[in-house]
Amino acid sequence: MATTSDATTPEPREHAPGSDEALLEKMGYKQELSRSLGFFSSFGIQFSSIAIASSTFTTLIVGLGFFGPASFWSFVIGGALQVFTVGLAVAQLVSAYPLAGGVYQITGRITGRPWLAWQTGWLLVIAHAVSVTAVSVSMAPFLASWFGITLDSNMQTAAWASGIMVFVTLFNIAGVKVAALLNNIGVIAEIVVVLLIIGSLLVVKHPTQPLSFLNNTGGTVLGGHWWGPALFAMILPAYLISSFDATGNASEETQGANKMAPMSSVVANVSAYLAGAFMIALVFLAIQDLPAVMGSAVPFKDILDTALGRTFSTVIEAVAIVALLAAIAMLQLTGIRVLWSQSRDGQMPAAPWMRKVSRQQIPINATLTMLVASLLIGLWSSLLSVLAAMTALAWAFAYTVVVVVGLWALAKKKLPEHPWHYGKFSVVIFVLAVIWSFVICGVLVASDPVHVGLGLVGVIAAGCVVYLCIPASRRGRSRDTAPGHV
């Protein structure tokens, strides 16, 4: 959504028809960021943001807690709905609007309502900031244990998490090529973790459960009403497979973005889903003491320790830490692009300062702002489970908005030309995406109405306050002449 800002309209330049720069200029912007990402790096942004194997170390407890080993089926069904409805729909919209800001830009350009677009952008900025904190906090005990340190207080955990966040931010400040290098290493590490877990559980001899064990609810079902716990367990794939516009947020740094960004996102989502389903099944079948595992704070680690031995489990953990560092970097990078995109449009307080780009073509001040936000959130590390659930809801709610407006634009044939689409199946995919988005938002709120539901209301209310702090001369003023604005 192009809006009035303190920056002048870019002077027309000669670009090859159909080039990334020409398309960007057509949408009202000049090329400011370094367009240097190819398919692997673009794929890696999404794949690292998911970090399917590494993130499962800390989130498997969610599925087990709600539905026991039967949560495998919740992952299979919920994950498929995440990837093959919402993920596909957002990828098509990214192809139509390959702009930094992702959902913020898409919503604004389709609806022409800057306030709605701004709020979706705000939700995603908060979701990314909290995710950076959440992953850093979950990593801190594992990293500290390498040095023989046990974190006994929230302040100690926050201090270690802060160090992790600062370390990762240095890569994002150094430049997109440096961040991409870390990400590429992280992608390789993530693939290695997946292969190590799957390969070792298939090869190493250990007691295994029969396939019917995947139907074991672990005592979570009372009175025969299994559908409630099964639905709540679908929060697990909502945690693991999200941030569907991550490649879109980096599209102004991606070559051939209107095709490359959506393609790499879909490939990353599908790969993570298939690897995750296979891996979770094998991990559950390796459980030897179900009550002990379900009562553990680190069930994934305990299962691997028992099945493979602590030494080999520690090796997997070490590689997973490398992958998680890349995940933090990519979560931060994509959140920064949303914040910078809003600032570029003048839709943030202190927008002229926030939109500045460094010599390395990095949104430096937006980067520092995201770091500070994540550090402040880290002070509430004791509420991490609540923050994580609220983050998933913020993501889901923002994507609900964008798939609804996307369905409307598709039905009215309002989308600009885009090479990535699904032909006659597009409408069906968008309808299913809308239905599933409402369902998962309802499940997330029902899981903790007070903290998660009211927490999101608080985030939206805070967003309204920030929006009103934008000078009235800039707030919500669309550049009606900008091409691509419906």
Side-chain angles (χ1 to χ4, degrees):
M1 176 188 61
T3 55
T4 301
S5 73
D6 292 342
T8 58
T9 302
E11 296 181 3
R13 292 183 181 180
E14 293 295 330
H15 295 296
S19 71
D20 291 307
E21 291 77 8
L23 179 59
L24 184 59
E25 192 170 283
K26 184 179 179 182
M27 291 188 171
Y29 300 114
K30 64 180 180 179
Q31 186 70 47
E32 294 183 74
L33 305 179
S34 175
R35 194 177 288 275
S36 56
L37 302 180
F39 171 76
F40 186 76
S41 293
S42 181
F43 160 85
I45 288 173
Q46 179 68 16
F47 195 72
S48 288
S49 296
I50 297 171
I52 187 68
S54 307
S55 295
T56 307
F57 264 84
T58 55
T59 57
L60 194 66
I61 190 173
V62 175
L64 284 170
F66 280 122
F67 203 37
S71 59
F72 164 75
W73 298 109
S74 294
F75 179 89
V76 170
I77 297 170
L81 289 167
Q82 285 281 99
V83 170
F84 296 110
T85 64
V86 183
L88 292 182
V90 173
Q92 182 166 342
L93 295 174
V94 165
S95 181
Y97 303 103
L99 294 166
V103 165
Y104 156 71
Q105 288 281 356
I106 294 165
T107 303
R109 287 175 179 267
I110 290 176
T111 65
R113 288 172 171 74
W115 61 268
L116 179 61
W118 190 91
Q119 190 63 255
T120 60
W122 168 257
L123 286 173
L124 292 182
V125 166
I126 297 301
H128 283 90
V130 175
S131 293
V132 166
T133 304
V135 179
S136 299
V137 169
S138 67
M139 274 180 59
F142 293 98
L143 202 58
S145 68
W146 293 0
F147 299 91
I149 298 173
T150 301
L151 303 182
D152 297 318
S153 69
N154 291 329
M155 288 307 297
Q156 285 180 312
T157 301
W160 275 80
S162 297
I164 293 170
M165 287 185 272
V166 170
F167 175 74
V168 166
T169 302
L170 296 176
F171 286 88
N172 278 326
I173 289 175
V176 70
K177 288 186 177 180
V178 176
L181 176 61
L182 172 63
N183 186 46
N184 292 344
I185 294 172
V187 170
I188 294 170
E190 184 65 24
I191 293 172
V192 169
V193 172
V194 171
L195 294 177
L196 282 175
I197 292 173
I198 293 176
S200 57
L201 289 175
L202 286 173
V203 174
V204 177
K205 291 184 178 181
H206 61 276
T208 58
Q209 301 285 354
L211 288 176
S212 60
F213 186 72
L214 296 177
N215 298 323
N216 191 324
T217 61
T220 59
V221 174
L222 301 175
H225 301 296
W226 60 267
W227 59 270
L231 270 177
F232 283 128
M234 287 186 185
I235 292 175
L236 176 62
Y239 278 3
L240 290 174
I241 308 175
S242 57
S243 188
F244 292 116
D245 60 337
T247 58
N249 278 309
S251 59
E252 290 182 36
E253 295 151 279
T254 304
Q255 300 165 3
N258 60 353
K259 186 174 182 180
M260 188 74 72
M263 178 173 66
S264 55
S265 178
V266 170
V267 172
N269 291 333
V270 173
S271 300
Y273 168 68
L274 295 176
F278 195 29
M279 181 184 64
I280 290 173
L282 290 176
V283 169
F284 281 166
L285 293 176
I287 294 175
Q288 297 178 33
D289 185 345
L290 181 57
V293 166
M294 291 189 65
S296 172
V298 284
F300 197 110
K301 186 177 187 303
D302 288 349
I303 295 168
L304 292 185
D305 283 350
T306 304
L308 306 177
R310 184 159 297 179
T311 300
F312 193 60
S313 176
T314 302
V315 171
I316 294 176
E317 181 185 311
V319 182
I321 291 294
V322 175
L324 284 174
L325 285 172
I328 296 170
M330 292 305 103
L331 287 166
Q332 186 185 66
L333 182 146
T334 50
I336 289 165
R337 270 52 180 180
V338 180
L339 181 59
W340 177 76
S341 182
Q342 290 180 301
S343 301
R344 177 175 61 178
D345 288 346
Q347 299 303 290
M348 269 290 172
W353 178 83
M354 198 89 73
R355 63 157 295 169
K356 288 187 180 297
V357 176
S358 69
R359 292 181 180 178
Q360 290 77 28
Q361 294 181 286
I362 291 297
I364 183 65
N365 293 335
T367 300
L368 296 175
T369 301
M370 284 292 288
L371 172 61
V372 171
S374 295
L375 291 173
L376 291 175
I377 293 167
L379 297 177
W380 284 273
S381 58
S382 60
L383 300 175
L384 187 60
S385 60
V386 173
L387 291 172
M390 194 177 71
T391 300
L393 179 58
W395 250 314
F397 188 73
Y399 291 133
T400 300
V401 173
V402 81
V403 295
V404 168
V405 301
L407 176 61
W408 176 85
L410 195 64
K412 296 292 185 179
K413 302 186 185 305
K414 295 288 188 179
L415 290 180
E417 183 180 353
H418 51 288
W420 187 268
H421 57 83
Y422 315 104
K424 62 183 179 181
F425 297 105
S426 290
V427 172
V428 175
I429 289 170
F430 270 82
V431 169
L432 292 174
V434 169
I435 295 171
W436 172 245
S437 294
F438 277 106
V439 169
I440 197 61
C441 283
V443 170
L444 285 163
V445 171
S447 69
D448 190 342
V450 175
H451 294 102
V452 177
L454 292 181
L456 183 67
V457 172
V459 170
I460 293 173
C464 292
V465 172
V466 174
Y467 188 69
L468 292 175
C469 291
I470 300 170
S473 60
R474 295 200 311 260
R475 189 190 317 137
R477 288 181 58 189
S478 298
R479 189 186 298 157
D480 296 329
T481 58
H485 183 89
V486 177

